[in-house]
Amino acid sequence: MNTIGLPQKESKKLADELNILLSNFQVYYQNLRGLHWNIRGRRFFDLHLKFEELYNDAQLKIDLIAERVLTLEGVPFHTFSDYVANNKLPIGKNIHNDEKSIELIVSCLSELLKIERQILNMSAEIDDEGTNSMMSDFIAEQEKTIWMMKAWLA
Ligand SMILES: [Fe+2]
């Protein structure tokens, strides 16, 4: 057992998986910055602000994930090369269109959900309540965001 009472080997594996989530969240964050900068058209003002709200939220989550990695006695990834190597998200480049922007967000969130559910399975197995609750919160929030994005697209 480690200092916080979790099995050492499994905690290490969990930290590795959280590093994958961290990498993908960084790509999601950068996608959102691109959308915030490049959005054009009649909905500019509300979408420009909405994307800022989303990237600020992503930034907070990035810090929580990295600090959870450290709590589990891992070392958080912090280089662009690690982020790119572990990325599973679509990368949005020069997107100016509102629908394409929202569609990109929905696909990124769907991929992040897959990684989070995988982490939740692993953390549930070792009764790691700290990671369980973090993943549950992320999952519930992102599912709700996907619903709202889909309502916007409909
Ligand atoms: Fe800005």
Side-chain angles (χ1 to χ4, degrees):
M1 293 286 171
N2 60 22
T3 325
I4 58 169
L6 295 173
Q8 213 125 30
K9 207 177 106 209
E10 285 80 359
S11 296
K12 181 74 189 61
K13 270 167 62 185
L14 206 43
D16 292 344
E17 205 59 30
L18 282 161
N19 259 329
I20 306 287
L21 182 63
L22 174 63
S23 303
N24 282 266
F25 248 97
Q26 291 282 15
V27 172
Y28 175 55
Y29 173 83
Q30 209 54 45
N31 274 340
L32 290 166
R33 295 301 304 223
L35 298 178
H36 171 76
W37 292 328
N38 291 313
I39 187 69
R40 291 177 187 163
R42 300 292 167 193
R43 288 158 167 151
F44 173 86
F45 291 108
D46 63 315
L47 289 178
H48 179 70
L49 275 181
K50 174 52 77 179
F51 300 148
E52 182 171 345
E53 181 195 305
L54 289 171
Y55 72 62
N56 283 331
D57 179 69
Q59 194 173 38
L60 293 174
K61 288 184 165 67
I62 284 163
D63 202 53
L64 289 173
I65 300 163
E67 289 174 358
R68 190 70 202 164
V69 170
L70 289 158
T71 303
L72 293 169
E73 301 180 357
V75 180
F77 287 161
H78 57 88
T79 62
F80 284 115
S81 52
D82 278 331
Y83 296 154
V84 170
N86 290 292
N87 179 46
K88 297 168 184 177
L89 304 188
I91 291 177
K93 191 170 176 180
N94 301 338
I95 297 177
H96 305 289
N97 172 274
D98 51 5
E99 284 191 23
K100 285 202 166 63
S101 299
I102 301 293
E103 279 162 7
L104 176 66
I105 292 173
V106 171
S107 21
C108 286
L109 289 175
S110 301
E111 285 304 313
L112 291 173
L113 279 174
K114 284 184 205 163
I115 304 169
E116 287 157 5
R117 289 216 176 85
Q118 161 85 7
I119 292 172
L120 184 56
N121 282 337
M122 291 168 68
S123 57
E125 253 173 56
I126 57 165
D127 292 325
D128 171 4
E129 193 50 36
T131 306
N132 287 346
S133 70
M134 183 185 288
M135 288 307 104
S136 304
D137 289 349
F138 284 16
I139 289 168
E141 277 181 48
Q142 286 161 23
E143 285 174 345
K144 189 172 176 180
T145 305
I146 288 179
W147 155 60
M148 290 192 279
M149 294 295 164
K150 285 174 73 183
W152 186 94
L153 285 165

